[in-house]
Every structure is written in structure tokens, then in C-alpha cells.
Amino acid sequence: MDLKTHIRGIPDFPKPGILFYDVSPLLAHGPAWKAAIDQLAEAIRPHKPDLLVGIESRGFLVAAPLALALGIGFVMVRKHGKLPGDKVKHSYDLEYGTDTIEVQADAVTPGQRVVMLDDLLATGGTMAAAISLLRQVGADVRAAAFLVELTFLNGRDKLDVPSVSLMAYDE
């Protein structure tokens, strides 16, 4: 199945000159969505994760059903102030300013093997920050996986773990 036929390009979103790659049609098409989850499961199974970690918010849509398919747990990395309880945070630089992400302090047992997930890899900054955050709480980050990768932005270069994407776009 050609999963790219289920990705919609939306020009000038969220601002002029940006082409947004929308995964909503993939999520809405049962057979394509199942194929994507099955392919990701096969790609990350060799890393033997104990947990999958999804990055807010579309990463949750990928990580949660994938964790269920693999029979393992799921942990959320969220924007600052969105998680209850004790949290560990990590701030990182954006093109214009900074952002902060958090994980619950007890979400990962030190040494647990994790694979990080998001819907799309663009510049790699958020995923690199999430990897640092999970290492900060003791996780053994084995890999990162994505539905879509924008290869022209070279985000993979910022990641120091093996990475897999189901679909790549050169422009």
C-alpha cells in the first residue's frame, strides 16, 4: 500500500510559504492506518523497547496504538504545564526563542529501553530535546521513528539514535 496517497499537503499552513504535511487522511483510512502501525512495529521491534514515548500531540496518535500492538507501555512528553504530579523538564532553543517539554518524573524506570515517536521529523529540534529529556530521567533511548520525514530539512542529523520513517519528502 502506498501510504503517501494518504498524506495531504496543505499549502501556506500554518503560515505563508509552508507546505503542511497532514496525516489526518491516513488516520481516517483504517487499512492504511493499520498498515502504517504494522510497518512501524516491524521497524522498531528489533530495538526491543520496554516503552514507547510519544511527543505532544500528534506523536501520541502514533505511539499509543503502536505500544498497544507491541504489548508495551506508552509515555507522554508534553509541553510545560500540561502534566500533573512531579515532572522533569528540558528547555531547548527554537529558531526564535525557547520551548520547554516535560515528562512525569516516575514515568520511566532508569535503564528502561525506549523508542521515541512523532508523526513527522522536520528540523529535529523537538525530537533531540525529547531524547535528552528521556536520558535525563535514566531511559536507554534506542531509536526514534516517524510516519513522515522532511529530508530536505536534515533533522536526522540532530539525532544520535537510529531513526526510521515510513515516508520521506524531498521538498
Side-chain angles (χ1 to χ4, degrees):
M1 177 177 297
D2 182 5
L3 296 177
K4 276 188 173 184
T5 63
H6 300 283
I7 304 297
R8 176 175 44 208
I10 300 177
D12 300 320
F13 183 83
K15 59 185 183 179
I18 302 291
L19 178 60
F20 183 82
Y21 290 89
D22 183 16
V23 299
S24 298
L26 176 67
L27 301 174
H29 190 276
W33 184 222
K34 182 178 183 332
I37 294 298
D38 290 347
Q39 288 176 33
L40 282 171
E42 287 306 309
I44 69 168
R45 194 173 273 118
H47 298 287
K48 298 180 176 17
D50 299 309
L51 291 171
L52 299 185
V53 178
I55 299 175
E56 184 168 345
S57 64
R58 290 184 304 269
F60 301 167
L61 300 173
V62 180
L66 187 53
L68 185 63
L70 293 171
I72 60 176
F74 161 65
V75 170
M76 297 178 287
V77 167
R78 299 209 61 191
K79 294 177 182 174
H80 177 68
K82 300 289 184 179
L83 286 170
D86 292 333
K87 299 164 292 292
V88 177
K89 65 182 178 179
H90 180 79
S91 295
Y92 62 103
D93 292 328
L94 299 170
E95 189 174 347
Y96 300 102
T98 61
D99 205 356
T100 301
I101 53 176
E102 298 177 330
V103 67
Q104 288 176 317
D106 61 354
V108 175
T109 302
Q112 274 189 305
R113 297 179 306 268
V114 304
V115 172
M116 312 292 296
L117 285 119
D118 208 349
D119 68 321
L120 186 137
L121 175 62
T123 64
T126 301
M127 181 56 77
I131 290 168
S132 293
L133 174 62
L134 267 291
R135 286 180 175 151
Q136 193 177 332
V137 296
D140 175 7
V141 181
R142 295 291 181 98
F146 310 89
L147 293 172
V148 175
E149 180 177 355
L150 307 181
T151 56
F152 61 95
L153 294 176
N154 301 313
R156 192 178 286 243
D157 295 346
K158 289 187 181 169
L159 308 181
D160 62 357
V161 296
S163 300
V164 62
S165 56
L166 298 185
M167 296 164 274
Y169 291 88
D170 309 350
E171 56 183 331

